Amino acid sequence: MYFLTGWPRRLLCPLKSEEQPFHVQPSSQRFYFAVLSETQLSVWFSRPSVLIVSYIESAKASSQFGFYQQAEWKQDDSMIAVAAANGYILLFDVVGGGEDKYLYEPVYSKGRRGVKVTPGYKEEQCAPALSLEMKRPMDLEAPITSMLSLQEDLLVSTADGYLHILHWDGISNGRKAISLCSVPFSLDLQSARGGLCLDLKGVYIRDMTYCVTLDGFAVVLNDGRLGFITPLANRITADQLQGVWAADVTDGTCVAVNNKYRLVTFGCASGSVLVYSIDTTTGSMQLSHKLELSPKHYPDVWNKTGAVKLIRWSPDYSVAMVTWECGGLSLWSVFGAHLICTLGEDFAYRSDGSKKDPINISSMSWGAEGYHLWVITSREETELVENMEEAPAQTQQAGILQFHFIKSALTVNPCTSNQEQVLLHGEDRLYLTCGDPAQLPSSSSESPHPHNLPHGGEGSPSSNSTSQGLSTLLGYKHWHVVQIHSTYLESNWPIRFAAIDTAGQCIAVAGRRGFAHYSMSTRKWKLFGNITQEQNMTVTGGLVWWKGFVVVACYNFIDRQEELRLYLRSSNLDNTFSSITKLHSETLLLNVFRDMIILFRADCSICLYSMERRHDGPNPSASVELLQEVSMSRYIPHPALVVSVTLTSVRTETGITLKAPQQACMADSIILNLAGQLIMLQRDRSGPQLQEKVPSHILYPPPSRVGLPFCPPVVLAQYVENVWTTCRSNRKKGHLLEVYLPSVFTTSIVWLPLFPRDHRKPHSFLSRRIMLPFHINIYPLAVLFEDALVLGASNETVLYDSLQGPREGRESLEGLFPYCTVERTSQIYLHHILRQLLVRNLGEQALLLAQSCAALPYFPHVMELMVHVVLEEEATSREPIPDPLLPTVAKFITEFPLFLQTIVHCARKTEFALWNYLFAAVGNPKDLFEECLMAQDLDTAASYLIILQNMEVPAVSRQHATLLFNTALEQGKWDLCRHMIRFLKAIGSGEMETPPPTPTTQEPSSTGGFDLFRNRSISLSQSADSIAAGKFNLTKTFSMPSGPSAKGWSKDSDCAENMYIDMMLRRHARHLLEHVRLKELGCFSAQLGFELIGWLCHERTRVARVDDFVMALKCLHKDFLWPFPVIPAGSISSPFKNGHRRTGVQHLLKSQSADSLLNMDTAPPQAVARNSNHTWLDRLGALGPTEMDTALSHGGPQTQEAFLSPLTNKTEECSIGSATDLTETSSMVDGDWTMVDDNFSTLSLTHSELEHISRELANKGPHKSQVQLRYLLHVFMEAGCLEWCVVIGLILRETTVIKQVVNFLDSPEVPPETVQSVRSGLLGVDAWASTDCLGYKPFLNMIRPQLQKLIETSVEQIQPEAFLPGASNSKLAEPQPAGPSAEDSRGPVLLGLALPLEPPGGLGTEDGGVPEEQEEQAVDEGAYDCTLS
């Protein structure tokens, strides 16, 4: 409701004085404040907060009268009464300074006009010059204890037990005195007639105040007893007073009354505030509730407060400020919601942790409209903080602090309660939670659109989307602050009303006169163009938005007439563009329901009007028609007691679900908040009553729903501060849309309809509606019904005392007080409703409600909250619970697919001690784990594994972890696999105390480390020499088993767990290879760091054999999305087949020397790089057109990719490399390659060559698949799996691969089975291609010589040891070029060259990115070997 903002402000007094003020009293309108010191009476103005006049008593008079004690204003602000210590009442006339005598006037900057149109403009903008004239003093001959101002009289109580009634003029009729002993006091008015009366001998009134709506005086007696005195007649006389007293209270200290809610609040010496209501039938004082600081938040509260010193209700009676003898301020709402307290947190402690003394207050008062709290600190406080600021020498600190507040618009304009935004308004600005305006619909057009249709229904098809958009605003945590237009504020301060439309796009504010509105889309204010029109009206009953119109209940000063006006938002703010309806009585409240407006008037009647938007002119207009008047004077004792009035379609009668759709949108009921009582008036639909009460000649015929009379009121709830309802209809969420959320203390109540399922007949014993109370932690300011959310705000504090050290031993205001801000808050309430329904055995209703909200993004969180709250309550209860709710909640959650996740998430957020109780209700975690596996929900199963690890023995954890590991391997969940490996290792090493931590950053051993290079591009200026030099130390990289797994597990390779994990990994790799799932095999190896090459070496003659080349080829086509080749329409011959390039390359191939490989270890890096140039190029020459195609296929606009251009040397050799991810330690890149840009400026291709390239591109698969295939080719070649090399060479159509394999087969070390398998496989592919895939025939024709050679060659026996990867002197390494391949002997150079530099999007996307992590194996091992050496 009310929120502190900023720092308090200290007011300066221009007069020198040794006296400190100790009392402040506001005038009736709170524009003037009387401030007392011992011999001085000062009058201050509110805006600007300046001293107007000061009256200083002479020393002689002061000795006669005594020091001043307290002051009281006359109702019309024309006089001030001051009580002096010696029993004198001093009356002062407040005299105006004349026509043009103003103490302060605004000074405008050059070029700006002051508003000087209306005669009274200066009164609003300037501080008037007043004077004080003392009249004849009155001696009451006893010390004065309390004073109270009535309309024409002044009520004074004295210490001799008398109550004096004085006239304000002080002369006429003298005075009357009533002895307190003559007033009969009893517990209630009924027993007062002949029962026991209170003995009041020697007792006097310590404090008293008058309650208008109760028509009586609340008093605190000097012995601490509390009472309420009611005059039985219009005049106050001794024989016409009757008192009631509160039983069992003897420590009262002060009193204040709330006129709007008819509450009497008494402060007690214990530090509590007792809030009483007066029973209307017996007249007795009933304790309503207490305002107490909770020991939970303030543990030593009994030691720090002392007795209650002052209670002050805000001007709108929505909050009460309390202060104690020991200091401190605390703010409460009407029915006890605690909002602010300065006894704790940053108010009580400095930033270094030292404790601050609470501020001690001697007097305080609210300013106009509650925007300020004027506080006078005690003498000690004033001395402590005086002269902090660099004040002029003639300026004296007045000891007055002003605290600034912003408040909710609901406090004075409750019609905004059907909105879904939070709107707060301060003295000169507005705070609203409309989110990001860019995401909301534009409001530029004049036609009604969603945000101009606040009440949905049939008229607005997009009304439901408005609330859905609001759901997205919850994450937008900042306030949108709108500064109120200064021109309007100057003459119309303070702002009294504010309203916002449904979409949060338009805001209207009303001050002392007129009103103004603001558009969020244009960021502009609209003010009255004619200042006279603005000054001739004042808003009395509030304002509200309806379909682009501002609806205003106002008073017209010219015609002296109450009016209802509608102003069009899009037109100029002028009376000519308004619709004006004259009213008979003053309007106190108004509200809008769809196209109806409801007014509550000062004569306690309710008027219903219909509104219609018309388009009969250039601008839309509105017509207003009176529908019905309802007199409420029988039920409402005083019009000021009505807090809010609302129209709604909700009703309680039978057949709530059977009403027709058109009836559902009708205004069926009126809901009134009458002094905290929620009262409902429903339409009377009984036939006979209809005929009797609505005769046929009445203007509104019986078929018209609006003409129906209303039934007598029904009380729905007590202690209600606010009511929220919605006007939209949503059949899917009918439950939530008809919810009422009254704020009761910190408890809210939902009034929920109970719908029968599937339109079945409702049970006769089942109520149609149910009240469900629940506790919320924030003060609700708005409700999003369709999202089951409450929006609010809270005060936050920031300390700045460390920025400014104490000056001369004293602290500044910034050091004494923290800086206060207002934060947006929200809270879900759906789980509270579901729980309350389950408690009442209404599970079917709870299920319907939950299913309607299952699409909410935070619905899983709602389920978790419900389980968690019930679990915490029941599992920590000290006494056994006869009927526990947790099993019911668990059964309820099983109806939703989120059941397994909800339980495990709740368990992991709950302490371990409560797990047994939880799983006793929801089921065995082992069974839940198996359910997750069956549902393929592996991530949730992994969470259950943590539960099992803590609740079961290690053997059970290992068993379930193995199940999950195998399933994760099969599904390719590599992250989960890595976690499972760590988990199994932790079990094996005995680390059972805590679950294995889930790292936030992935380790190189689990990811292959390739993430470091995923988004990096290689500089085009990077020299090949530096690359070669950087790799030179990795020569012996592959002399040991490769892969991070070998590195990570070598330390404890004898551990059984590691062997067990290794066995499972090998088994999975065997399974993948058997089923020709090479792509998954590559991902598996790269992601988990599996030692693929070493494993393939072992499996070379077993599972790594290819039994059916044709089937394997088909599987690779399918797996890598590689198209089958098609026969080109033209000649099969290629321009690359014959020509100088081919012959040049063959020439170099013949002249290459194998000695360069042997000289590698002795040659310096630079020389090796130079030598390797020619050998790489010589070897690459055989790659021919396909490699050229590879390069050209990446010639797109990706600027981050570097490409290798063909070099034409003197011997006309050429080479083109393909792009691959090039890591800084990659063994694939060596030699002095020239990197060029995408434009291929060095290429000069003929038309026939381009045609050939285009045909080849049509037969290529995705670039990523090409990179992956080439890498797998590299791996298989290094492991010596020649059959797989042939298959991959076939799908890539690489003649060089086939040639190289055939050359290898010539070696005597190759087993004859391999030669036979390759020979029969190629023949099988040839036969298959001839019948089923003719596109392979051109390529098979190209390798016909190698196939013929293979058939003719005799098979020789070879030693198997020669196939080990580290055997650099074997025959297998002979065809490899010298230089770089010797530096990194992981594979033949042709495969190294074939790897592209960096494909678009990297290689680590959905399928795990085969080559990236594989290359990283070389990176890690290189680093590993370097450290060893």
Side-chain angles (χ1 to χ4, degrees):
M1 278 298 188
Y2 274 64
F3 305 95
L4 262 177
T5 175
W7 278 299
R9 180 169 57 191
R10 183 178 290 114
L11 304 183
L12 301 178
C13 179
L15 300 176
K16 291 185 177 181
S17 173
E18 298 299 322
E19 300 176 357
Q20 294 297 332
F22 58 83
H23 182 79
V24 60
Q25 185 69 26
S27 64
S28 59
Q29 295 297 315
R30 300 179 190 268
F31 291 146
Y32 303 101
F33 290 84
V35 177
L36 291 183
S37 55
E38 291 176 347
T39 63
Q40 188 171 328
L41 168 64
S42 305
V43 176
W44 291 68
F45 196 55
S46 56
R47 177 184 167 93
S49 300
V50 292
L51 177 66
I52 297 177
V53 63
S54 187
Y55 179 91
I56 301 176
E57 195 69 74
S58 65
K60 180 180 179 182
S62 177
S63 63
Q64 178 189 352
F65 301 142
F67 290 149
Y68 294 166
Q69 289 184 328
Q70 51 185 311
E72 193 71 40
W73 286 81
K74 193 179 178 182
Q75 297 284 351
D76 59 1
D77 301 349
S78 62
M79 294 181 72
I80 301 175
V82 176
N86 293 342
Y88 283 88
I89 293 289
L90 312 178
L91 295 178
F92 294 87
D93 278 325
V94 181
V95 183
E99 194 59 37
D100 285 321
K101 294 181 180 178
Y102 292 95
L103 202 59
Y104 294 92
E105 289 188 0
V107 177
Y108 297 102
S109 57
K110 288 184 179 179
R112 182 186 170 191
R113 296 186 293 111
V115 181
K116 298 184 179 180
V117 179
T118 55
Y121 79 99
K122 282 192 173 181
E123 295 177 14
E124 285 85 12
Q125 298 181 50
C126 311
L130 304 177
S131 61
L132 294 173
E133 296 178 1
M134 185 174 173
K135 301 177 72 174
R136 183 174 64 85
M138 289 183 288
D139 184 10
L140 300 183
E141 301 174 356
I144 296 167
T145 58
S146 178
M147 279 199 310
L148 185 60
S149 174
L150 301 178
Q151 286 291 342
E152 298 297 329
D153 299 323
L154 181 68
L155 207 60
V156 182
S157 66
T158 53
D160 56 1
Y162 278 88
L163 200 59
H164 300 267
I165 303 166
L166 312 177
H167 288 281
W168 272 104
D169 53 19
I171 302 170
S172 62
N173 298 333
R175 65 173 189 264
K176 292 182 289 185
I178 300 172
S179 173
L180 199 59
C181 296
S182 64
V183 178
F185 272 85
S186 59
L187 284 175
D188 56 56
L189 295 180
Q190 293 174 345
S191 60
R193 294 185 177 91
L196 179 67
C197 287
L198 196 64
D199 180 20
L200 296 177
K201 191 174 182 180
V203 175
Y204 59 88
I205 295 175
R206 178 177 178 176
D207 190 14
M208 65 177 176
T209 186
Y210 179 69
C211 181
V212 178
T213 53
L214 286 172
D215 191 22
F217 304 91
V219 298
V220 178
L221 306 180
N222 65 321
D223 59 0
R225 283 181 289 191
L226 316 175
F228 189 82
I229 301 175
T230 307
L232 301 179
N234 290 333
R235 301 296 297 173
I236 301 174
T237 56
D239 56 349
Q240 293 295 324
L241 293 180
Q242 172 66 52
V244 293
W245 56 283
D248 305 325
V249 181
T250 57
D251 64 343
T253 57
C254 58
V255 64
V257 294
N258 188 319
N259 284 312
K260 183 184 280 189
Y261 289 88
R262 300 180 97 187
L263 296 174
V264 185
T265 51
F266 296 96
C268 299
S270 64
S272 300
V273 176
L274 305 180
V275 183
Y276 284 89
S277 60
I278 306 298
D279 190 289
T280 52
T281 55
T282 65
S284 62
M285 295 175 64
Q286 303 284 339
L287 179 63
S288 171
H289 57 279
K290 295 182 180 181
L291 307 180
E292 292 179 316
L293 294 177
S294 66
K296 178 181 177 182
H297 296 102
Y298 304 94
D300 54 342
V301 64
W302 311 115
N303 305 327
K304 65 167 60 171
T305 62
V308 176
K309 192 172 186 178
L310 294 168
I311 305 170
R312 293 289 183 265
W313 285 100
S314 62
D316 53 28
Y317 296 107
S318 58
V319 292
M321 185 67 82
V322 178
T323 185
W324 294 272
E325 291 287 352
C326 298
L329 288 168
S330 188
L331 191 69
W332 271 283
S333 74
V334 176
F335 292 112
H338 193 208
L339 302 176
I340 301 168
C341 184
T342 64
L343 292 179
E345 299 176 347
D346 289 345
F347 288 99
Y349 297 92
R350 299 180 182 88
S351 55
D352 58 2
S354 58
K355 199 171 185 306
K356 290 187 282 194
D357 291 326
I359 174 175
N360 214 311
I361 295 167
S362 60
S363 182
M364 63 180 178
S365 174
W366 288 97
E369 297 297 324
Y371 294 127
H372 298 119
L373 182 73
W374 291 57
V375 167
I376 296 185
T377 55
S378 64
R379 191 180 302 271
E380 299 80 14
E381 295 284 334
T382 308
E383 291 172 357
L384 178 68
V385 300
E386 68 179 354
N387 297 327
M388 293 303 128
E389 283 125 13
E390 308 293 332
Q394 74 272 13
T395 304
Q396 169 75 26
Q397 291 290 346
I400 302 175
L401 296 180
Q402 263 189 0
F403 288 88
H404 306 277
F405 286 85
I406 60 175
K407 62 178 183 176
S408 167
L410 296 176
T411 56
V412 285
N413 199 32
C415 64
T416 56
S417 61
N418 60 8
Q419 310 296 341
E420 295 174 323
Q421 285 88 8
V422 176
L423 175 64
L424 308 177
H425 51 96
E427 182 185 20
D428 58 353
R429 67 198 62 193
L430 302 166
Y431 295 75
L432 55 149
T433 60
C434 63
D436 189 355
Q439 298 176 357
L440 289 172
S442 169
S443 60
S444 56
S445 69
E446 295 181 2
S447 61
H449 44 292
H451 72 264
N452 284 334
L453 299 173
H455 307 300
E458 279 82 20
S460 59
S462 59
S463 59
N464 289 336
S465 63
T466 308
S467 175
Q468 295 304 318
L470 290 169
S471 305
T472 63
L473 306 178
L474 296 174
Y476 192 83
K477 296 299 289 182
H478 300 287
W479 293 98
H480 197 104
V481 182
V482 177
Q483 194 78 28
I484 299 174
H485 201 287
S486 58
T487 303
Y488 181 76
L489 266 184
E490 280 173 0
S491 54
N492 298 293
W493 184 91
I495 297 299
R496 287 175 171 154
F497 301 99
I500 188 170
D501 72 338
T502 307
Q505 289 290 283
C506 305
I507 311 159
V509 295
R512 193 186 307 181
R513 299 283 175 94
F515 73 96
H517 62 83
Y518 177 83
S519 170
M520 296 289 292
S521 55
T522 62
R523 307 294 173 93
K524 289 183 179 179
W525 282 94
K526 273 192 181 176
L527 276 62
F528 274 95
N530 187 342
I531 192 72
T532 309
Q533 293 182 4
E534 177 188 277
Q535 295 300 312
N536 285 339
M537 65 171 283
T538 181
V539 178
T540 58
L543 65 170
V544 67
W545 287 92
W546 171 79
K547 292 188 178 181
F549 285 88
V550 189
V551 184
V552 180
C554 62
Y555 178 76
N556 186 339
F557 288 101
I558 298 294
D559 300 336
R560 297 187 179 181
Q561 173 73 47
E562 294 286 337
E563 295 176 344
L564 177 68
R565 298 185 181 182
L566 279 76
Y567 290 86
L568 183 64
R569 177 194 59 82
S570 55
S571 62
N572 292 334
L573 196 50
D574 194 282
N575 290 345
T576 57
F577 297 106
S578 68
S579 166
I580 300 177
T581 305
K582 296 190 181 301
L583 305 176
H584 304 301
S585 178
E586 180 187 356
T587 302
L588 300 182
L589 293 166
L590 88 164
N591 210 335
V592 167
F593 177 84
R594 297 197 173 99
D595 292 338
M596 294 177 66
I597 186 166
I598 180 170
L599 303 181
F600 178 76
R601 304 188 303 195
D603 59 0
C604 294
S605 64
I606 291 174
C607 289
L608 300 179
Y609 291 85
S610 69
M611 296 180 292
E612 183 183 357
R613 183 183 173 109
R614 294 178 176 174
H615 299 273
D616 48 4
N619 290 315
S621 62
S623 63
V624 179
E625 180 186 357
L626 176 67
L627 295 178
Q628 194 172 3
E629 289 191 31
V630 183
S631 175
M632 296 291 294
S633 55
R634 292 174 54 194
Y635 312 109
I636 300 175
H638 196 286
L641 296 175
V642 178
V643 180
S644 67
V645 58
T646 308
L647 268 175
T648 175
S649 60
V650 176
R651 58 181 189 264
T652 60
E653 83 284 341
T654 312
I656 185 172
T657 62
L658 306 178
K659 54 188 177 183
Q662 68 271 13
Q663 295 178 2
C665 301
M666 291 292 180
D668 281 323
S669 308
I670 296 173
I671 291 185
L672 288 175
N673 183 355
L674 177 62
Q677 274 193 333
L678 200 62
I679 293 177
M680 184 179 202
L681 291 89
Q682 299 186 83
R683 297 272 186 197
D684 188 353
R685 285 182 192 76
S686 56
Q689 284 187 341
L690 181 63
Q691 293 172 5
E692 292 170 12
K693 296 186 179 180
V694 187
S696 58
H697 65 272
I698 284 188
L699 181 62
Y700 320 112
S704 173
R705 301 272 300 194
V706 295
L708 291 174
F710 284 91
C711 298
V714 178
V715 177
L716 299 180
Q718 302 271 7
Y719 308 114
V720 176
E721 293 181 18
N722 290 312
V723 180
W724 287 267
T725 177
T726 182
C727 304
R728 281 198 304 273
S729 54
N730 185 337
R731 293 186 177 182
K732 292 183 180 179
K733 295 187 179 181
H735 288 75
L736 284 180
L737 285 184
E738 298 196 60
V739 161
Y740 286 89
L741 258 149
S743 175
V744 185
F745 304 95
T746 50
T747 303
S748 289
I749 291 181
V750 172
W751 197 34
L752 198 68
L754 301 179
F755 294 130
R757 198 167 189 173
D758 305 326
H759 302 285
R760 291 180 295 194
K761 186 177 179 182
H763 296 295
S764 58
F765 60 86
L766 190 64
S767 172
R768 300 297 176 267
R769 285 189 171 272
I770 189 169
M771 287 274 187
L772 303 176
F774 59 88
H775 180 82
I776 53 176
N777 298 323
I778 65 174
Y779 192 94
L781 298 177
V783 180
L784 305 184
F785 289 97
E786 297 183 12
D787 305 309
L789 272 167
V790 173
L791 302 183
S794 64
N795 258 119
E796 300 292 336
T797 52
V798 185
L799 282 173
Y800 286 97
D801 55 358
S802 58
L803 302 180
Q804 298 184 357
R807 287 179 243 169
E808 300 179 5
R810 300 186 180 97
E811 282 187 291
S812 64
L813 272 179
E814 292 79 7
L816 283 173
F817 299 99
Y819 186 83
C820 295
T821 60
V822 183
E823 299 290 332
R824 292 176 54 179
T825 56
S826 61
Q827 186 174 339
I828 303 168
Y829 64 85
L830 178 59
H831 62 289
H832 291 298
I833 302 178
L834 296 176
R835 181 189 172 190
Q836 292 291 341
L837 287 172
L838 293 177
V839 167
R840 289 158 175 77
N841 290 324
L842 296 173
E844 186 176 353
Q845 300 292 330
L847 190 60
L848 285 172
L849 178 58
Q851 286 171 347
S852 71
C853 301
L856 292 175
Y858 39 82
F859 185 72
H861 181 58
V862 171
M863 295 286 112
E864 284 181 44
L865 276 176
M866 184 163 63
V867 177
H868 185 78
V869 170
V870 176
L871 173 65
E872 288 281 341
E873 285 184 10
E874 296 187 357
T876 58
S877 175
R878 297 183 178 181
E879 298 177 358
I881 299 173
D883 189 13
L885 186 63
L886 189 59
T888 308
V889 172
K891 185 178 179 182
F892 174 76
I893 296 180
T894 56
E895 297 289 334
F896 298 91
L898 302 164
F899 167 68
L900 296 169
Q901 295 99 309
T902 301
I903 296 302
V904 74
H905 291 168
C906 180
R908 294 194 64 180
K909 295 171 186 174
T910 310
E911 56 182 305
F912 173 69
L914 308 183
W915 283 6
N916 286 326
Y917 187 86
L918 172 65
F919 288 105
V922 301
N924 192 315
K926 289 188 286 189
D927 299 336
L928 300 177
F929 173 85
E930 291 170 7
E931 284 184 42
C932 293
L933 284 187
M934 291 174 62
Q936 303 294 314
D937 189 357
L938 302 190
D939 292 329
T940 306
S943 297
Y944 276 106
L945 205 54
I946 306 296
I947 308 290
L948 288 172
Q949 182 199 7
N950 287 278
M951 297 183 69
E952 302 287 346
V953 294
V956 175
S957 301
R958 183 184 292 108
Q959 176 189 355
H960 288 79
T962 305
L963 279 173
L964 182 57
F965 186 36
N966 286 329
T967 311
L969 283 174
E970 189 61 34
Q971 294 190 8
K973 299 284 185 71
W974 307 121
D975 283 338
L976 182 57
C977 290
R978 287 193 286 271
H979 295 324
M980 294 313 303
I981 290 174
R982 280 200 303 278
F983 186 81
L984 286 167
K985 286 183 182 180
I987 294 177
S989 58
E991 298 173 3
M992 292 305 299
E993 292 80 6
T994 57
T998 302
T1000 53
T1001 57
Q1002 295 178 329
E1003 304 164 1
S1005 62
S1006 60
T1007 63
F1010 199 83
D1011 291 341
L1012 297 174
F1013 310 103
R1014 182 157 297 176
N1015 297 314
R1016 287 176 52 175
S1017 57
I1018 295 175
S1019 169
L1020 296 180
S1021 61
Q1022 186 176 6
S1023 69
D1025 289 342
S1026 64
I1027 297 176
K1031 312 296 181 299
F1032 187 71
N1033 292 330
L1034 303 179
T1035 305
K1036 297 187 174 63
T1037 297
F1038 293 102
S1039 60
M1040 61 177 295
S1042 62
S1045 57
K1047 177 181 73 176
W1049 300 346
S1050 58
K1051 300 175 184 176
D1052 51 355
S1053 58
D1054 56 341
C1055 175
E1057 287 298 331
N1058 289 337
M1059 294 177 62
Y1060 179 61
I1061 295 169
D1062 209 15
M1063 180 194 74
M1064 286 193 288
L1065 292 175
R1066 290 172 181 272
R1067 183 196 305 155
H1068 185 66
R1070 191 176 299 115
H1071 170 74
L1072 293 177
L1073 198 54
E1074 283 175 350
H1075 292 80
V1076 198
R1077 289 156 62 181
L1078 290 194
K1079 189 170 186 177
E1080 285 187 47
L1081 180 66
C1083 294
F1084 161 74
S1085 168
Q1087 294 283 354
L1088 301 186
F1090 180 67
E1091 183 194 339
L1092 188 58
I1093 295 177
W1095 176 78
L1096 285 172
C1097 288
H1098 290 294
E1099 300 288 339
R1100 186 191 304 144
T1101 57
R1102 292 192 289 272
V1103 75
R1105 300 286 300 273
V1106 181
D1107 296 327
D1108 187 345
F1109 274 57
V1110 175
M1111 187 271 290
L1113 198 59
K1114 290 180 179 178
C1115 288
L1116 289 187
H1117 273 288
K1118 180 181 178 182
D1119 211 10
F1120 290 92
L1121 304 176
W1122 199 270
F1124 287 96
V1126 293
I1127 298 179
S1131 172
I1132 293 179
S1133 62
S1134 165
F1136 286 90
K1137 267 187 181 179
N1138 303 310
H1140 59 278
R1141 296 187 186 180
R1142 175 84 176 200
T1143 55
V1145 169
Q1146 288 173 342
H1147 170 73
L1148 284 172
L1149 189 60
K1150 293 175 183 175
S1151 64
Q1152 72 177 1
S1153 171
D1155 295 337
S1156 57
L1157 177 66
L1158 304 176
N1159 296 333
M1160 182 56 131
D1161 294 325
T1162 56
Q1166 292 81 5
V1168 171
R1170 283 196 298 273
N1171 292 339
S1172 64
N1173 258 350
H1174 296 286
T1175 55
W1176 276 96
L1177 289 170
D1178 297 345
R1179 191 69 179 117
L1180 184 69
L1183 293 181
T1186 313
E1187 287 302 299
M1188 175 73 79
D1189 297 345
T1190 304
L1192 290 181
S1193 65
H1194 314 312
Q1198 293 91 350
T1199 57
Q1200 77 273 17
E1201 294 184 11
F1203 295 96
L1204 307 178
S1205 68
L1207 297 181
T1208 306
N1209 289 359
K1210 294 174 184 177
T1211 51
E1212 294 188 348
E1213 70 271 22
C1214 73
S1215 70
I1216 299 175
S1218 176
T1220 188
D1221 286 288
L1222 190 63
T1223 62
E1224 294 172 38
T1225 54
S1226 172
S1227 58
M1228 313 304 170
V1229 181
D1230 290 290
D1232 192 11
W1233 295 348
T1234 301
M1235 299 184 181
V1236 298
D1237 206 344
D1238 293 354
N1239 53 14
F1240 286 95
S1241 57
T1242 57
L1243 282 179
S1244 56
L1245 298 176
T1246 64
H1247 179 69
S1248 60
E1249 289 171 344
L1250 288 173
E1251 281 186 357
H1252 173 75
I1253 288 170
S1254 63
R1255 285 197 302 268
E1256 286 296 318
L1257 286 178
N1259 293 331
K1260 295 288 184 186
H1263 169 59
K1264 189 173 184 179
S1265 298
Q1266 185 177 7
V1267 174
Q1268 293 168 343
L1269 282 169
R1270 291 187 181 282
Y1271 193 78
L1272 287 172
L1273 177 62
H1274 162 77
V1275 169
F1276 282 119
M1277 186 69 79
E1278 207 169 307
C1281 302
L1282 301 183
E1283 292 136 295
W1284 278 113
C1285 295
V1286 171
V1287 174
I1288 298 176
L1290 283 172
I1291 194 172
L1292 292 174
R1293 284 173 309 202
E1294 295 280 2
T1295 55
T1296 51
V1297 174
I1298 308 299
K1299 291 177 184 177
Q1300 205 170 32
V1301 172
V1302 172
N1303 289 340
F1304 288 160
L1305 293 177
D1306 288 343
S1307 171
E1309 299 164 347
V1310 178
E1313 297 85 15
T1314 303
V1315 179
Q1316 181 62 29
S1317 176
V1318 172
R1319 182 165 58 236
S1320 60
L1322 285 174
L1323 291 175
V1325 170
D1326 189 41
W1328 166 74
S1330 302
T1331 58
D1332 294 340
C1333 187
L1334 295 175
Y1336 267 111
K1337 292 301 290 183
F1339 176 71
L1340 291 173
N1341 291 336
M1342 291 174 67
I1343 63 169
R1344 184 72 59 188
Q1346 284 74 31
L1347 187 56
Q1348 194 66 32
K1349 177 183 175 185
L1350 188 61
I1351 296 173
E1352 296 170 355
T1353 303
S1354 58
V1355 181
E1356 300 180 12
Q1357 295 296 323
I1358 305 174
Q1359 301 291 332
E1361 295 79 17
F1363 281 91
L1364 290 177
S1368 59
N1369 56 355
S1370 67
K1371 301 270 182 85
L1372 188 65
E1374 271 188 28
Q1376 300 178 359
S1381 65
E1383 294 179 65
D1384 180 4
S1385 57
R1386 277 192 73 161
V1389 173
L1390 82 137
L1391 298 171
L1393 269 181
L1395 295 175
L1397 285 173
E1398 178 151 349
L1403 295 175
T1405 53
E1406 312 82 276
D1407 54 61
V1410 177
E1412 302 178 352
E1413 281 83 8
Q1414 284 283 6
E1415 284 190 355
E1416 184 53 25
Q1417 293 180 11
V1419 178
D1420 287 344
E1421 289 147 14
Y1424 182 68
D1425 290 341
C1426 288
T1427 53
L1428 285 180
S1429 60

